[in-house]
Amino acid sequence: GLPAVVTMLLSVGTRALAAKGAIVKRLRSVETLGSTSAICSDKTGTLTLNQMTARELVIAGRRYNVDGEGYSTTGRILRVAGSSDAPFEPFTLPMALANDAVIRDGAIIGDPTEGALVVLAAKSGLDVEETRRAFPRVAEVPFDAEYKLMATFHEMDEGGRRVVRCFVKGAPDVLLARSTHYLNVEGATEPMAGDGQERVLAENDRMAAEGLRVLAVARRDFDPATFDPAGDLLALVSELELLALIGIVDPPRKEARDAIALCKDAGIRV
């Protein structure tokens, strides 16, 4: 009679689980579930909302906090009392142009991390769609996990002269290795040599230790007469001017905390 008893008990467990919204196809899975001691869960979109939100902007050592949630462009870039206002356009322009994401009515079309940068650019005062129309791409280096960056090239005016400006976004360590200068908060270019690299790495480590995903943006100008859009564009992404670091967070789901607490109460490690 043991097989019949076991089958009945497993069936009862299956029905109890179904009442909780969990459908079990194999009865043996109920026994396995009952002896579970650890759950390994995906994070993005499961424990979190998969709505990347920029929380911090670092420009040449000056830190700015960013308020607002998700992909709503409602929010501000907050500075510390006593510090001067800075024109954000030179630092946030790459976030709008070296980017394929589109924000529509608080929803994103494209990569969530890119969406966070578009929202930050909008919070800095840029009309992202009009900016993209004003400065169309003449060439691009698509993102690739091998070199961990994306670069776009645009024709612009700089001090009355025409230039092809390269805007780059990517992993901080990668862009730092390709940068020779940085732009300070007053808009002046300074050499990266000396303690410049140490300060950038320190800010990167600090934000990463706080659980933020960190990205960097940079730029470089070229002479339109010698620029070849069909050439080796990745080789041109060097001798950059580092602009800013951005700390991005993926907010947790409200129900995730309770679910993890229930698991811990049941003696299950998450």
Side-chain angles (χ1 to χ4, degrees), residues 40 45 56-57 63 73 81 88 93 101 111 114 117 120 122 129 140 145 169 182 207 210 220 243 248 254 264 270:
C40 301
E56 193 168 337
L57 175 66
R63 302 170 185 170
T73 55
F88 290 115
L93 197 54
D111 180 76
E114 287 196 329
L117 297 183
L120 180 55
E129 291 190 14
E140 71 173 293
K169 76 170 188 300
Y182 66 91
M207 287 192 283
E210 294 174 2
R220 181 185 176 186
L243 299 176
I248 300 172
K254 293 181 179 178
K264 289 184 176 180
V270 179

PDB file of all heavy atoms in Angstrom, residues 40 45 56-57 63 73 81 88 93 101 111 114 117 120 122 129 140 145 169 182 207 210 220 243 248 254 264 270:
ATOM      1  N   CYS A  40      18.858  29.655  -5.717  1.00  0.00           N
ATOM      2  CA  CYS A  40      19.706  30.577  -6.478  1.00  0.00           C
ATOM      3  C   CYS A  40      18.818  31.300  -7.483  1.00  0.00           C
ATOM      4  O   CYS A  40      18.288  30.683  -8.405  1.00  0.00           O
ATOM      5  CB  CYS A  40      20.815  29.816  -7.197  1.00  0.00           C
ATOM      6  SG  CYS A  40      21.889  28.897  -6.075  1.00  0.00           S
ATOM      7  N   GLY A  45      15.047  41.865 -13.051  1.00  0.00           N
ATOM      8  CA  GLY A  45      13.700  41.556 -13.496  1.00  0.00           C
ATOM      9  C   GLY A  45      12.987  40.528 -12.641  1.00  0.00           C
ATOM     10  O   GLY A  45      11.785  40.313 -12.796  1.00  0.00           O
ATOM     11  N   GLU A  56      23.725  58.714  -9.283  1.00  0.00           N
ATOM     12  CA  GLU A  56      24.835  59.594  -8.960  1.00  0.00           C
ATOM     13  C   GLU A  56      25.595  59.967 -10.229  1.00  0.00           C
ATOM     14  O   GLU A  56      25.770  59.141 -11.130  1.00  0.00           O
ATOM     15  CB  GLU A  56      25.769  58.924  -7.949  1.00  0.00           C
ATOM     16  CG  GLU A  56      26.775  59.865  -7.321  1.00  0.00           C
ATOM     17  CD  GLU A  56      27.488  59.245  -6.133  1.00  0.00           C
ATOM     18  OE1 GLU A  56      26.922  58.299  -5.533  1.00  0.00           O
ATOM     19  OE2 GLU A  56      28.596  59.700  -5.799  1.00  0.00           O
ATOM     20  N   LEU A  57      26.031  61.217 -10.288  1.00  0.00           N
ATOM     21  CA  LEU A  57      26.841  61.728 -11.388  1.00  0.00           C
ATOM     22  C   LEU A  57      28.103  62.333 -10.795  1.00  0.00           C
ATOM     23  O   LEU A  57      28.030  63.167  -9.889  1.00  0.00           O
ATOM     24  CB  LEU A  57      26.058  62.787 -12.173  1.00  0.00           C
ATOM     25  CG  LEU A  57      26.798  63.526 -13.295  1.00  0.00           C
ATOM     26  CD1 LEU A  57      27.152  62.565 -14.432  1.00  0.00           C
ATOM     27  CD2 LEU A  57      25.949  64.678 -13.827  1.00  0.00           C
ATOM     28  N   ARG A  63      30.538  65.442  -6.864  1.00  0.00           N
ATOM     29  CA  ARG A  63      29.458  64.462  -6.884  1.00  0.00           C
ATOM     30  C   ARG A  63      28.096  65.141  -6.890  1.00  0.00           C
ATOM     31  O   ARG A  63      27.867  66.109  -6.170  1.00  0.00           O
ATOM     32  CB  ARG A  63      29.552  63.535  -5.668  1.00  0.00           C
ATOM     33  CG  ARG A  63      30.869  62.787  -5.561  1.00  0.00           C
ATOM     34  CD  ARG A  63      30.981  62.086  -4.220  1.00  0.00           C
ATOM     35  NE  ARG A  63      32.288  61.460  -4.031  1.00  0.00           N
ATOM     36  CZ  ARG A  63      32.694  60.953  -2.883  1.00  0.00           C
ATOM     37  NH1 ARG A  63      31.899  61.008  -1.822  1.00  0.00           N
ATOM     38  NH2 ARG A  63      33.901  60.409  -2.788  1.00  0.00           N
ATOM     39  N   THR A  73      11.181  61.013 -16.742  1.00  0.00           N
ATOM     40  CA  THR A  73      12.188  62.075 -16.845  1.00  0.00           C
ATOM     41  C   THR A  73      11.949  63.173 -15.813  1.00  0.00           C
ATOM     42  O   THR A  73      12.644  64.194 -15.829  1.00  0.00           O
ATOM     43  CB  THR A  73      12.178  62.685 -18.253  1.00  0.00           C
ATOM     44  OG1 THR A  73      10.854  63.142 -18.573  1.00  0.00           O
ATOM     45  CG2 THR A  73      12.608  61.640 -19.289  1.00  0.00           C
ATOM     46  N   ALA A  81      24.992  72.109  -1.152  1.00  0.00           N
ATOM     47  CA  ALA A  81      24.872  73.538  -0.878  1.00  0.00           C
ATOM     48  C   ALA A  81      26.261  74.172  -0.795  1.00  0.00           C
ATOM     49  O   ALA A  81      27.186  73.621  -0.193  1.00  0.00           O
ATOM     50  CB  ALA A  81      24.119  73.765   0.436  1.00  0.00           C
ATOM     51  N   PHE A  88      25.679  71.276 -17.395  1.00  0.00           N
ATOM     52  CA  PHE A  88      25.752  69.820 -17.522  1.00  0.00           C
ATOM     53  C   PHE A  88      25.846  69.342 -18.973  1.00  0.00           C
ATOM     54  O   PHE A  88      26.206  68.191 -19.209  1.00  0.00           O
ATOM     55  CB  PHE A  88      24.532  69.174 -16.857  1.00  0.00           C
ATOM     56  CG  PHE A  88      24.536  69.273 -15.358  1.00  0.00           C
ATOM     57  CD1 PHE A  88      23.568  70.015 -14.691  1.00  0.00           C
ATOM     58  CD2 PHE A  88      25.500  68.625 -14.618  1.00  0.00           C
ATOM     59  CE1 PHE A  88      23.571  70.111 -13.306  1.00  0.00           C
ATOM     60  CE2 PHE A  88      25.527  68.709 -13.232  1.00  0.00           C
ATOM     61  CZ  PHE A  88      24.549  69.450 -12.579  1.00  0.00           C
ATOM     62  N   LEU A  93      25.808  65.186 -22.867  1.00  0.00           N
ATOM     63  CA  LEU A  93      25.551  65.040 -24.303  1.00  0.00           C
ATOM     64  C   LEU A  93      25.874  63.636 -24.810  1.00  0.00           C
ATOM     65  O   LEU A  93      25.110  63.085 -25.617  1.00  0.00           O
ATOM     66  CB  LEU A  93      26.340  66.104 -25.077  1.00  0.00           C
ATOM     67  CG  LEU A  93      25.909  66.393 -26.520  1.00  0.00           C
ATOM     68  CD1 LEU A  93      24.425  66.730 -26.592  1.00  0.00           C
ATOM     69  CD2 LEU A  93      26.736  67.527 -27.102  1.00  0.00           C
ATOM     70  N   ALA A 101      18.676  53.861 -26.982  1.00  0.00           N
ATOM     71  CA  ALA A 101      17.416  53.698 -26.255  1.00  0.00           C
ATOM     72  C   ALA A 101      16.491  54.885 -26.509  1.00  0.00           C
ATOM     73  O   ALA A 101      16.936  56.017 -26.754  1.00  0.00           O
ATOM     74  CB  ALA A 101      17.669  53.546 -24.769  1.00  0.00           C
ATOM     75  N   ASP A 111      17.773  49.021 -24.447  1.00  0.00           N
ATOM     76  CA  ASP A 111      18.493  48.477 -23.299  1.00  0.00           C
ATOM     77  C   ASP A 111      18.200  49.289 -22.037  1.00  0.00           C
ATOM     78  O   ASP A 111      18.237  50.521 -22.068  1.00  0.00           O
ATOM     79  CB  ASP A 111      19.996  48.502 -23.592  1.00  0.00           C
ATOM     80  CG  ASP A 111      20.809  47.954 -22.444  1.00  0.00           C
ATOM     81  OD1 ASP A 111      20.835  46.727 -22.279  1.00  0.00           O
ATOM     82  OD2 ASP A 111      21.410  48.760 -21.707  1.00  0.00           O
ATOM     83  N   GLU A 114      20.996  51.782 -21.023  1.00  0.00           N
ATOM     84  CA  GLU A 114      20.990  52.946 -21.911  1.00  0.00           C
ATOM     85  C   GLU A 114      19.821  53.858 -21.583  1.00  0.00           C
ATOM     86  O   GLU A 114      19.936  55.094 -21.660  1.00  0.00           O
ATOM     87  CB  GLU A 114      20.924  52.506 -23.368  1.00  0.00           C
ATOM     88  CG  GLU A 114      22.205  51.908 -23.894  1.00  0.00           C
ATOM     89  CD  GLU A 114      22.238  51.840 -25.412  1.00  0.00           C
ATOM     90  OE1 GLU A 114      21.156  51.685 -26.028  1.00  0.00           O
ATOM     91  OE2 GLU A 114      23.325  51.953 -25.987  1.00  0.00           O
ATOM     92  N   LEU A 117      20.618  56.320 -18.903  1.00  0.00           N
ATOM     93  CA  LEU A 117      21.436  57.441 -19.366  1.00  0.00           C
ATOM     94  C   LEU A 117      20.591  58.465 -20.122  1.00  0.00           C
ATOM     95  O   LEU A 117      20.812  59.678 -19.990  1.00  0.00           O
ATOM     96  CB  LEU A 117      22.566  56.932 -20.258  1.00  0.00           C
ATOM     97  CG  LEU A 117      23.587  56.002 -19.596  1.00  0.00           C
ATOM     98  CD1 LEU A 117      24.681  55.630 -20.591  1.00  0.00           C
ATOM     99  CD2 LEU A 117      24.188  56.637 -18.354  1.00  0.00           C
ATOM    100  N   LEU A 120      18.794  60.476 -17.537  1.00  0.00           N
ATOM    101  CA  LEU A 120      19.701  61.421 -16.879  1.00  0.00           C
ATOM    102  C   LEU A 120      19.988  62.610 -17.782  1.00  0.00           C
ATOM    103  O   LEU A 120      20.035  63.755 -17.309  1.00  0.00           O
ATOM    104  CB  LEU A 120      21.001  60.713 -16.501  1.00  0.00           C
ATOM    105  CG  LEU A 120      22.062  61.573 -15.806  1.00  0.00           C
ATOM    106  CD1 LEU A 120      21.498  62.255 -14.566  1.00  0.00           C
ATOM    107  CD2 LEU A 120      23.281  60.744 -15.457  1.00  0.00           C
ATOM    108  N   ALA A 122      17.979  63.832 -19.991  1.00  0.00           N
ATOM    109  CA  ALA A 122      16.768  64.660 -19.982  1.00  0.00           C
ATOM    110  C   ALA A 122      16.663  65.461 -18.688  1.00  0.00           C
ATOM    111  O   ALA A 122      16.267  66.630 -18.705  1.00  0.00           O
ATOM    112  CB  ALA A 122      15.538  63.771 -20.170  1.00  0.00           C
ATOM    113  N   GLU A 129      15.398  63.903 -28.069  1.00  0.00           N
ATOM    114  CA  GLU A 129      14.989  63.637 -29.449  1.00  0.00           C
ATOM    115  C   GLU A 129      15.427  64.764 -30.379  1.00  0.00           C
ATOM    116  O   GLU A 129      15.931  64.515 -31.484  1.00  0.00           O
ATOM    117  CB  GLU A 129      13.471  63.430 -29.509  1.00  0.00           C
ATOM    118  CG  GLU A 129      13.010  62.143 -28.831  1.00  0.00           C
ATOM    119  CD  GLU A 129      11.553  61.850 -29.116  1.00  0.00           C
ATOM    120  OE1 GLU A 129      10.984  62.488 -30.036  1.00  0.00           O
ATOM    121  OE2 GLU A 129      10.990  60.985 -28.427  1.00  0.00           O
ATOM    122  N   GLU A 140      29.610  55.061 -36.454  1.00  0.00           N
ATOM    123  CA  GLU A 140      29.488  54.529 -35.097  1.00  0.00           C
ATOM    124  C   GLU A 140      30.283  53.247 -34.925  1.00  0.00           C
ATOM    125  O   GLU A 140      30.571  52.538 -35.889  1.00  0.00           O
ATOM    126  CB  GLU A 140      28.022  54.279 -34.742  1.00  0.00           C
ATOM    127  CG  GLU A 140      27.379  53.121 -35.465  1.00  0.00           C
ATOM    128  CD  GLU A 140      25.974  52.830 -34.940  1.00  0.00           C
ATOM    129  OE1 GLU A 140      25.848  52.395 -33.775  1.00  0.00           O
ATOM    130  OE2 GLU A 140      25.016  53.043 -35.703  1.00  0.00           O
ATOM    131  N   ALA A 145      30.815  43.266 -26.267  1.00  0.00           N
ATOM    132  CA  ALA A 145      31.312  42.834 -24.958  1.00  0.00           C
ATOM    133  C   ALA A 145      32.816  42.642 -24.958  1.00  0.00           C
ATOM    134  O   ALA A 145      33.440  42.659 -23.891  1.00  0.00           O
ATOM    135  CB  ALA A 145      30.622  41.529 -24.555  1.00  0.00           C
ATOM    136  N   LYS A 169      30.713  55.820 -24.574  1.00  0.00           N
ATOM    137  CA  LYS A 169      30.276  55.369 -23.255  1.00  0.00           C
ATOM    138  C   LYS A 169      30.724  53.928 -23.096  1.00  0.00           C
ATOM    139  O   LYS A 169      30.825  53.179 -24.071  1.00  0.00           O
ATOM    140  CB  LYS A 169      28.760  55.484 -23.085  1.00  0.00           C
ATOM    141  CG  LYS A 169      27.941  54.427 -23.792  1.00  0.00           C
ATOM    142  CD  LYS A 169      26.493  54.498 -23.357  1.00  0.00           C
ATOM    143  CE  LYS A 169      25.674  53.348 -23.893  1.00  0.00           C
ATOM    144  NZ  LYS A 169      25.616  53.246 -25.357  1.00  0.00           N
ATOM    145  N   TYR A 182      40.999  64.828 -18.925  1.00  0.00           N
ATOM    146  CA  TYR A 182      39.630  64.848 -18.421  1.00  0.00           C
ATOM    147  C   TYR A 182      39.135  66.293 -18.410  1.00  0.00           C
ATOM    148  O   TYR A 182      39.923  67.249 -18.392  1.00  0.00           O
ATOM    149  CB  TYR A 182      39.527  64.222 -17.029  1.00  0.00           C
ATOM    150  CG  TYR A 182      40.231  64.978 -15.921  1.00  0.00           C
ATOM    151  CD1 TYR A 182      39.552  65.960 -15.173  1.00  0.00           C
ATOM    152  CD2 TYR A 182      41.553  64.701 -15.590  1.00  0.00           C
ATOM    153  CE1 TYR A 182      40.201  66.646 -14.160  1.00  0.00           C
ATOM    154  CE2 TYR A 182      42.203  65.383 -14.578  1.00  0.00           C
ATOM    155  CZ  TYR A 182      41.520  66.354 -13.864  1.00  0.00           C
ATOM    156  OH  TYR A 182      42.154  67.037 -12.855  1.00  0.00           O
ATOM    157  N   MET A 207      31.520  53.762  -5.723  1.00  0.00           N
ATOM    158  CA  MET A 207      30.160  53.532  -6.203  1.00  0.00           C
ATOM    159  C   MET A 207      29.867  52.050  -6.365  1.00  0.00           C
ATOM    160  O   MET A 207      28.767  51.578  -6.044  1.00  0.00           O
ATOM    161  CB  MET A 207      29.931  54.279  -7.522  1.00  0.00           C
ATOM    162  CG  MET A 207      29.801  55.782  -7.349  1.00  0.00           C
ATOM    163  SD  MET A 207      29.186  56.645  -8.824  1.00  0.00           S
ATOM    164  CE  MET A 207      30.672  56.662  -9.809  1.00  0.00           C
ATOM    165  N   GLU A 210      28.945  50.478  -3.197  1.00  0.00           N
ATOM    166  CA  GLU A 210      27.593  50.824  -2.765  1.00  0.00           C
ATOM    167  C   GLU A 210      26.517  50.094  -3.576  1.00  0.00           C
ATOM    168  O   GLU A 210      25.327  50.384  -3.430  1.00  0.00           O
ATOM    169  CB  GLU A 210      27.385  52.334  -2.870  1.00  0.00           C
ATOM    170  CG  GLU A 210      28.260  53.133  -1.906  1.00  0.00           C
ATOM    171  CD  GLU A 210      28.138  54.634  -2.126  1.00  0.00           C
ATOM    172  OE1 GLU A 210      27.336  55.046  -3.006  1.00  0.00           O
ATOM    173  OE2 GLU A 210      28.832  55.392  -1.427  1.00  0.00           O
ATOM    174  N   ARG A 220      36.182  62.886 -28.021  1.00  0.00           N
ATOM    175  CA  ARG A 220      37.390  63.287 -28.732  1.00  0.00           C
ATOM    176  C   ARG A 220      36.973  63.946 -30.044  1.00  0.00           C
ATOM    177  O   ARG A 220      35.987  63.530 -30.673  1.00  0.00           O
ATOM    178  CB  ARG A 220      38.292  62.089 -29.027  1.00  0.00           C
ATOM    179  CG  ARG A 220      39.586  62.470 -29.751  1.00  0.00           C
ATOM    180  CD  ARG A 220      40.416  61.260 -30.138  1.00  0.00           C
ATOM    181  NE  ARG A 220      41.595  61.669 -30.901  1.00  0.00           N
ATOM    182  CZ  ARG A 220      42.447  60.825 -31.469  1.00  0.00           C
ATOM    183  NH1 ARG A 220      42.266  59.520 -31.354  1.00  0.00           N
ATOM    184  NH2 ARG A 220      43.486  61.274 -32.154  1.00  0.00           N
ATOM    185  N   LEU A 243      34.812  62.451 -19.318  1.00  0.00           N
ATOM    186  CA  LEU A 243      33.848  63.472 -18.925  1.00  0.00           C
ATOM    187  C   LEU A 243      33.206  63.206 -17.564  1.00  0.00           C
ATOM    188  O   LEU A 243      33.174  64.088 -16.711  1.00  0.00           O
ATOM    189  CB  LEU A 243      32.748  63.583 -19.993  1.00  0.00           C
ATOM    190  CG  LEU A 243      33.213  63.975 -21.397  1.00  0.00           C
ATOM    191  CD1 LEU A 243      32.041  63.947 -22.368  1.00  0.00           C
ATOM    192  CD2 LEU A 243      33.870  65.339 -21.387  1.00  0.00           C
ATOM    193  N   ILE A 248      24.490  53.728 -11.439  1.00  0.00           N
ATOM    194  CA  ILE A 248      23.134  53.296 -11.799  1.00  0.00           C
ATOM    195  C   ILE A 248      22.699  52.176 -10.871  1.00  0.00           C
ATOM    196  O   ILE A 248      23.488  51.284 -10.530  1.00  0.00           O
ATOM    197  CB  ILE A 248      23.090  52.820 -13.262  1.00  0.00           C
ATOM    198  CG1 ILE A 248      23.510  53.963 -14.199  1.00  0.00           C
ATOM    199  CG2 ILE A 248      21.706  52.307 -13.636  1.00  0.00           C
ATOM    200  CD1 ILE A 248      23.683  53.535 -15.636  1.00  0.00           C
ATOM    201  N   LYS A 254       9.063  45.506  -4.587  1.00  0.00           N
ATOM    202  CA  LYS A 254       8.568  45.660  -3.222  1.00  0.00           C
ATOM    203  C   LYS A 254       8.304  44.307  -2.574  1.00  0.00           C
ATOM    204  O   LYS A 254       8.494  44.132  -1.375  1.00  0.00           O
ATOM    205  CB  LYS A 254       7.308  46.517  -3.220  1.00  0.00           C
ATOM    206  CG  LYS A 254       7.549  47.971  -3.621  1.00  0.00           C
ATOM    207  CD  LYS A 254       6.272  48.784  -3.579  1.00  0.00           C
ATOM    208  CE  LYS A 254       6.535  50.240  -3.954  1.00  0.00           C
ATOM    209  NZ  LYS A 254       5.301  51.053  -3.959  1.00  0.00           N
ATOM    210  N   LYS A 264      13.848  32.647   4.337  1.00  0.00           N
ATOM    211  CA  LYS A 264      14.737  32.541   5.505  1.00  0.00           C
ATOM    212  C   LYS A 264      14.008  31.928   6.687  1.00  0.00           C
ATOM    213  O   LYS A 264      14.584  31.144   7.454  1.00  0.00           O
ATOM    214  CB  LYS A 264      15.286  33.911   5.846  1.00  0.00           C
ATOM    215  CG  LYS A 264      16.306  34.426   4.841  1.00  0.00           C
ATOM    216  CD  LYS A 264      16.917  35.751   5.243  1.00  0.00           C
ATOM    217  CE  LYS A 264      18.000  36.195   4.264  1.00  0.00           C
ATOM    218  NZ  LYS A 264      18.605  37.482   4.645  1.00  0.00           N
ATOM    219  N   VAL A 270      18.896  32.132   0.334  1.00  0.00           N
ATOM    220  CA  VAL A 270      18.650  32.731  -0.987  1.00  0.00           C
ATOM    221  C   VAL A 270      19.955  33.335  -1.480  1.00  0.00           C
ATOM    222  O   VAL A 270      20.539  34.161  -0.798  1.00  0.00           O
ATOM    223  CB  VAL A 270      17.551  33.826  -0.912  1.00  0.00           C
ATOM    224  CG1 VAL A 270      17.334  34.439  -2.297  1.00  0.00           C
ATOM    225  CG2 VAL A 270      16.270  33.230  -0.374  1.00  0.00           C
TER     226      VAL A 270
END
